[in-house]
Amino acid sequence: MVYASPGTDASTDPDIDKNIRMFEQGHLPNPIASDSSDKSKGKLGQKTLRRLAQNREAARKSRLRKKAYVQQLENSRLKLNQLEQELQHARQQGIIISTSDDQCRSTSENGALIFNMEYTRWLGEQNKLINELRAAVHSHAGDDDLQSIVNTIMVHNEEFFRLKGVAAKADALHVLSGTWRTPLERCFLWLGGFRPSELLKVSSSSQARLCNRQQSSQEAEEALSQRMEIIQHSLAETIASQLGRAGAGSSGNAADHTAAALRKIGTMESLLQQADDLRLQSLQQMQRVLTTRQSARALLLVSDYFSRLRALSSLWISRPHSKCVDIDTVVTDP
């Protein structure tokens, strides 16, 4: 989907149009300095030609980067398929898996490890794309160039949600715990990721029309949060009732309660997928509501928000511990 900037108007100057046609044919016109007006038009024509040349070169480089990125995604997919085949071959040979319990545990651990590695790779590529977008915005690149980079970032985000979906099928609790993120980011986690309303709140500084989207997103978040609370409450009751029957000597009931508890944990995978769908919809809504340039600025704001969370988390972890207050030296007996 291509967005047109409302501030971009086509030139109606016949001299500029003539210069553009000559430029496309490979001939650069020489401005005729007959008077001050002709000089002004000539300078304007040369400026337009230079801008056209810069935009076309930027578009060419953007297409090459996008092609390279698509190829990188394809290579990652092939490597992942190869790893899965090797794991499957190892299971068949009895090298890794010996029992069904071990198989489930190994599959879960491998899925979590692969996701952590893929997230690290994804985040590095995301930072490169954001830096490219920031440079394009600061250099006042054309809307076509900005749109190309924005679209690439959107595709990159969709790839992340696909990776999360695969990881959730292998181990929903790993995705919910957010151990693949920094400690401070985990403090703000909502169902394994960011709150869509927070994303729209950060982006609403670019466009007031996002406020209504933010309200509807909060309502959807509340509905999913309530469902998660119901699952957690039901799971706690199931575990408690299982403990209450521990002395009854009925192994059949205990097995039934354990199976029921596992099913409740399994339903969390569905909630994770719905939460990620809501997050992706918020990104897509933001892109639909905003113009190309506004979308670019909004993506930069969102990226800066999460970058600061990661930076603060790193500063907290690396802080001088000698300056920390030792509670044992503060608390004294009355």
Side-chain angles (χ1 to χ4, degrees), residues 190 195 217-227 229:
W190 172 79
R195 284 184 175 271
S217 179
Q218 287 175 336
E219 295 173 358
E221 289 171 18
E222 183 63 26
L224 287 177
S225 296
Q226 290 177 359
R227 289 181 58 188
E229 290 178 2

Side-chain angles (χ1 to χ4, degrees), residues 231 234-240 242 254-268:
I231 293 174
S234 177
L235 179 60
E237 286 188 337
T238 300
I239 296 174
Q242 186 176 358
D256 292 341
H257 280 78
T258 300
L262 291 175
R263 284 195 298 270
K264 289 177 173 60
I265 295 176
T267 57
M268 294 181 182

Side-chain angles (χ1 to χ4, degrees), residues 69 73 115 118-119 121-122 126 153-169 175 180-181 189-196 199 269 271-284 299 302 306:
Y69 173 65
L73 289 180
F115 175 68
E118 286 295 307
Y119 172 71
R121 177 198 61 79
W122 179 90
Q126 178 78 352
I153 293 176
M154 291 297 296
V155 171
H156 194 55
N157 282 307
E158 292 172 5
E159 171 67 10
F160 173 61
F161 289 124
R162 188 193 68 79
L163 292 172
K164 279 187 69 180
V166 173
K169 292 182 183 298
V175 178
W180 36 279
R181 289 183 178 270
L189 277 187
W190 172 79
L191 292 181
F194 60 83
R195 284 184 175 271
L199 179 143
E269 178 190 330
L271 284 183
L272 274 174
Q273 185 60 55
Q274 294 179 53
D276 276 348
D277 289 342
L278 185 59
R279 282 184 269 264
L280 181 58
Q281 290 171 11
S282 298
L283 283 170
Q284 293 170 341
L299 286 174
V302 172
F306 289 112

